[in-house]
Every structure is written in C-alpha cells, then in structure tokens.
Amino acid sequence: MPRFLTLIRIDEQNVPAEGPSPELMERMGALLEEITKAGVMLDTAGLAPTSEGTRVTWSGGKLSYTDGPFTESKEVIGGYSIVQAKDKAEALEWTKRFLQTHEDYWTITAEVREIAEA
C-alpha cells in the first residue's frame, strides 16, 4: 500500500499569535484519532518555528549553514504527516478533512506526495 508525505505549509507571519484555538485542537484531535484507528496514519507532528531551524546547503562542493528565521520565505513547512493510503485520492481526502478542521481565518497549504519506494 503506498505511503504519502503531506507537508503543511504556513505563513508564519499570519499565524494567530495565541496559536490554534481550543476548538481547532479538539477537532484535530478527533480527526487524528479517527485516522489512526483507520490504520492510515503512520506519523505526524508540527514543527518548531523557523527561528529555531537551520538550513544546510550543498553548492559548488561546499556546505553552508543559514540559521532561521527564514524571512525570505513566504511559506514554511509547519508540520507533516505520513499516511499509508490505498491511493492518492484517499490521501487527498484525509488531507482535505485535516485542512477543514481549521477556522476560516487560517491560510494553510498542504502538499501531498507519494513516497517513492525502492
């Protein structure tokens, strides 16, 4: 059964300062419980702010390191999930349901990609 990585992109400048509402956390918790019981969710987590991250670049045969925050980026990866779904349509359906747990003032983009199996 194929696995899919979903990258959750957010604009750190437009995330509510107080973080997710208790209602959002409750809806998200219910969905995560449902997707876990369905045997689809393999792993998921939110990520720390980019201010705590470091980008490592390999270019021209040299490594360089850039500490966050990454202000040149409009959107950053705010979280991820790995699911095992029967096909991309099922992975997209779970992603749609995840996005719909958020209130209307959130702007979030999810990128769903199948994990290439060797």
Side-chain angles (χ1 to χ4, degrees), residues 1-66:
M1 191 174 294
R3 295 182 303 150
F4 296 87
L5 171 67
T6 301
L7 300 171
I8 304 299
R9 297 180 185 274
I10 61 170
D11 179 349
E12 286 187 317
Q13 307 304 315
N14 291 319
V15 173
E18 64 280 358
S21 69
E23 295 81 12
L24 168 57
M25 295 305 294
E26 185 175 328
R27 290 190 300 273
M28 192 178 306
L31 179 63
L32 291 178
E33 183 177 331
E34 180 183 348
I35 193 171
T36 299
K37 284 183 178 176
V40 174
M41 180 63 72
L42 301 177
D43 190 21
T44 187
L47 300 178
T50 61
S51 61
E52 300 173 23
T54 300
R55 286 185 177 159
V56 183
T57 302
W58 175 257
S59 178
K62 296 181 181 176
L63 286 173
S64 64
Y65 299 85
T66 306

